Amino acid sequence: MLDDLKMDWPALDAAHHLHPFTDHKSLHKAGVRVIRSAQGVYLYDNKGNRLLDGMAGLWCVAAGYGRAELVEAAAAQMAKLPYYNTFFKTTNEPAVKLAARLAHIAPRGLSHVFFACSGSEAVDTAIRTARVYWQTRGKPAKRIIIGREYGYHGSTMLAAAAGGMVDMHRQAGDLPDFAHVLPPYWYEKGGQMGESEFGLYAARQLEAKILELGAENIAAFIGEPVQGAGGVIIPPSTYWPEVNRICKAHDILLIADEVICGFGRTGRMFGSDYFGIEPDIMTMAKAMTSGYVPLSAVMLHDRVAEVMIDEAGEYYHGFTYSGHPVSCAVALKNLDIIESEGLVARADMMGEILRGKLNIALADHPMVGEIRGVGLIGAIELTADKRTRKPFAKIGRVGTICRDFCIENGLVMRAVRDGMVFAPPLIISESEIDEMVALAKKSIDQTYEIVKSEMAL
Ligand code: PXG
């Protein structure tokens, strides 16, 4: 037997465990961090350190760690029916209940649900569904999926191809029938334009791409309401209404990838509610179970579902764990928590407070170019020149230094290029926000000392 206390976890991990998105050689040199337990917004590692989790795990632990209700919901469902599939004319009670409940809280018209386990599977499902939809409607040439640069939709082949991460395309994720357009990222791409003007400009890049490729060849446009992994890119308010118009005008399905934004993150139940997006298809995962168990879903608007149900015949698609009863039972309890504790409104209110405090602490900092956010998702852009929004010479280096200081100081924040991104659990309190802001400021100050000393050389 392995004795937990005496184990050299990093050594054993290095010997056998391959990690996602990791350069293993450098990980083995640095040593891996072992997280042993968590409670509320805090993580505890095996060296006795406490970390404030400013990322809610990976954008998912909305209800916070250590929720006995979620553990009990899983245990009760495991005891009653731990697994059965939803193929072969079969269903289970938690899956039916959850589908009905999602239909109730989703934007109007999205009332049909397909379940999977991960965000990537949900995105794959959405893309396949879009193509089957057009085949069924007698337009099989409509296959192309348009995504955006810096978009992230997951790591399976279709999801990686839909995303705009060039390193993923380069290694293995570049497929035919995918295209990418400019993201609505005013801070980096806006130049001299105002934000509203740039929002329209970015949306019209989609229209230009549609005209270039031919609407008769395009199945769908896919976008995250706020691009999370790409650096918390929050579109100007002019962007999504124009995208709605363009997709309708050119008869292209609109897929809203709500894997990060769904379930309160933006201060509304879905990012689509916040931005006025009118999706035909919506993907969701992560906070649906607060990350306690894997679960994802794809929701279809009635206008898509009717074609899939009445005309498409058998849909040759599905997963062993589609509608997993334990995951669905946990999701139902998690939705109870979100509703009974008012976590959606809380995200809106606490987000305002967090941004207010960040602005007081950091808006005048010489290395902070912008502080942005909606609800409890946001970013602090670090810059070489506050006035011109100039990036650092080696993109990503300063962000990584700052990220490492954050962890050393007891705060988990991610660096995306040189932006520090955050998305704490929605249950975060005001005193925990104070701690988060203080640790972020301390880490940015320490980073600035290094940047300044290098400039002096
Ligand atoms: N869509 C979006 C919008 C996502 O953010 C996925 C799909 C894929 O989900 P799965 O469950 O297949 O991982 C995601 C995942 C990061 C990071 O570093 C973000 C994600 C995953 C891993 C890392 O920000 N998002």
Side-chain angles (χ1 to χ4, degrees), residues 21 55 58-59 117-121 123 152-156 159 224 226 228-230 257-261 283 285-286 296 414 416 421:
F21 284 84
M55 284 304 300
L58 257 184
W59 324 84
C117 286
S118 66
S120 303
E121 288 171 348
V123 167
Y152 187 78
H153 300 292
S155 208
T156 55
E224 305 149 74
V226 172
D257 183 351
E258 295 265 4
V259 166
I260 285 179
C261 291
T283 51
K286 295 194 189 269
S296 66
R414 289 245 294 98
V416 179
V421 302

Side-chain angles (χ1 to χ4, degrees), residues 40-74:
V41 299
Y42 292 105
L43 305 165
Y44 299 89
D45 72 13
N46 65 335
K47 293 180 180 154
N49 296 312
R50 186 181 88 159
L51 292 153
L52 196 164
D53 185 4
M55 284 304 300
L58 257 184
W59 324 84
C60 46
V61 189
Y65 298 96
R67 302 297 305 235
E69 312 95 298
L70 298 180
V71 179
E72 282 153 18

